[in-house]
Every structure is written in C-alpha cells, then in structure tokens.
Amino acid sequence: MEFVIIVSIVFCYILIRATFFVFGVGRPKNLPPGPTRLPIIGNLHLLGDQPHQSLAKLAETHGPIMSLQLGQITTLVISSANAAKEVLQKQDLAFSTRHVPDALHACSHASHSVAWLPVCTEWRTLRRILNSNVFSNNSLEANERLRSKKVEELIAYCRKASVSNDYVDIGRAAFRTSLNLLSNTIFSKDVIDPYEDSGKEFKEVITSIMVEAGKPNLVDFFPVLKKIDPQGNRRRMSHYFGKVLKIFKELIEERLKMGRLRHDDLLDVCLNIIQDNPNEINHTHIESLFLVSKLVDS
C-alpha cells in the first residue's frame, strides 16, 4: 500500500513538471541552443546506444556548445577544441564541480573522495598527497625496485605453472600483480597472496564497482526517484564498497596499533597529516582515497 502511494506521488510530481515544461514555466532563458525537448524525458531519446556519436551529430546542427535536457537534468555539451580549452583551462574553477552519479553516494564515498569533491580544503589536501606520493617522478623512481620485484614474482608464478602444466589466467595474474604493487605503495604489504591463484573475489568486487558506476541509472536523470533507488544501483554499490572499505579499515587499525613504527608509505603520510591537521582530512577521507587508487589501478 505504501509503495502504491509513493508511486502515485512520484507520478503526480512528474506530471506537474511535464505540464510546466510544455508551457515553459521555470525554463531557463539563457541556455545555448539545443534540440527540441519532449515532456518528461527531454532529449534522452536522442542519445541512443552510442552517445558520443549521437552528440557529435547533434553538434553539427546545434553548434559546439549546446544544451540538452536529460530527464530532469539540464546538461551543457562542449564539442569543440576551442570551447573545451575555454572550459578546462580558463574557466576551470567555474566548471570543476560536476554531477555525481547517485550510485557513488553509497557509503558517503562522493563526500570524501578526491575524484568527486568540489574544490575545497579536503580536495586540495588529498590532491597534494597523490601528486607528492604517487604520481611524482621521485615517487616513481623510489618504487622502481618494488615494481621489479612484483614483475619477478609474476614471472616466477608463470614459470611454476608451466613446469606443472597448469594454465595461467593472464588477466587475474596481472590484476594480482598490479594490486599488490599498489597495496605495497600504500600499506607496505600484499593484500592478496602473490604466489597462489588468489584475488578472484577481490577482482570480482572491483569489477562489479566499475560496472555499477557505469550503468545508466534512472535516478541520475530523475533525482525525485533517489529515495526509491528503483534499479538498486546504490544498494549494490553500498555492498561492494563495504567489502573493500572493510579491508582498508582493518589495515589502518593494524597500523595504528603499531604506534611509532614507521613504514614511510602512503598510509604513514596520511596518518601524519591527520595527526598534525585533523581539520583537513580524517580516516574516511583516506579510505576513499585508497578506494579511488584501487579503481584507477584496475
């Protein structure tokens, strides 16, 4: 009965919005040109199964800067090099905050992730950590021996499988190697056994997260459905995020119990920042930072 009431309220809301749309009530007047919009769905029907190609064709008619109405979301499409340069270089602060897919709000990830935070103190701190300790030339040179070691372990695993006439799942072996390389950079330890055919479950969880993040979700086009989560994307993402974040929590707690024993890894850097400047970031920020690192590495 409650579900029927909720659906009825949502339907009435959408119907009212569609009526306003048809008569132009509340429609912004200063938007760039764009294709004709249908009630309720707007321009969603024009995207097709190859959105990048559809947008390129629409740009030929409506110009390099055009507006689309994707459900309830007004979207600005930039499709020329000059316009992109203006947006990404000259007006980067104005356009840096972006729409966050609803599924990525699971476990409050978007509120603490360097990938989704707006420009703020937390974002600057997390970005500085990555630039200084992961992406800098000094960090890459410092980890050269570690990379060599992990490649040698991969070769040894393949050689062992060859001697025993076992098959090698190249995808899983490469994932295990890159995962342990990153986990050693962050935690100074392997998160999965480098010598056994392990890591299948972890790989499946990471793959599931990426699949859920990339799925079309009605809530992203009709935010009024957010509380219902009709496709269950956020619920599933909460489950997958929870599994990975649990591992990170355990590793952080293990490090905290070690006290002053230093490892000079990314986790040490983050914990020192939290100790010196607790108002900048907290443990939830670094858990989300590590989650982003794992997804990018995958």
Side-chain angles (χ1 to χ4, degrees), residues 143-192:
N143 288 328
E144 182 177 359
R145 181 179 297 180
L146 176 60
R147 291 196 297 275
S148 298
K149 178 183 177 182
K150 292 305 168 187
V151 171
E152 289 171 0
E153 289 176 356
L154 175 61
I155 294 173
Y157 169 75
C158 293
R159 184 181 294 115
K160 178 182 177 182
S162 176
V163 171
S164 58
N165 291 323
D166 291 333
Y167 77 94
V168 174
D169 187 326
I170 297 297
R172 190 182 304 169
F175 173 83
R176 185 170 60 245
T177 298
S178 61
L179 177 64
N180 281 338
L181 172 59
L182 186 60
S183 69
N184 272 273
T185 302
I186 298 174
F187 303 112
S188 297
K189 65 184 299 183
D190 293 333
V191 294
I192 54 179

Side-chain angles (χ1 to χ4, degrees), residues 9 37 51 64 77 90 110 120 124 128 157 161 176 184 202 221 230 291:
I9 293 173
R37 307 169 181 185
V77 180
K90 298 181 180 180
C120 59
R124 289 190 177 93
R128 185 176 68 248
Y157 169 75
R176 185 170 60 245
N184 272 273
F202 199 98
F221 305 111
L291 177 57

Side-chain angles (χ1 to χ4, degrees), residues 29 84 135 171 176 186 268:
K29 304 296 183 183
F135 301 127
R176 185 170 60 245
I186 298 174
D268 266 359

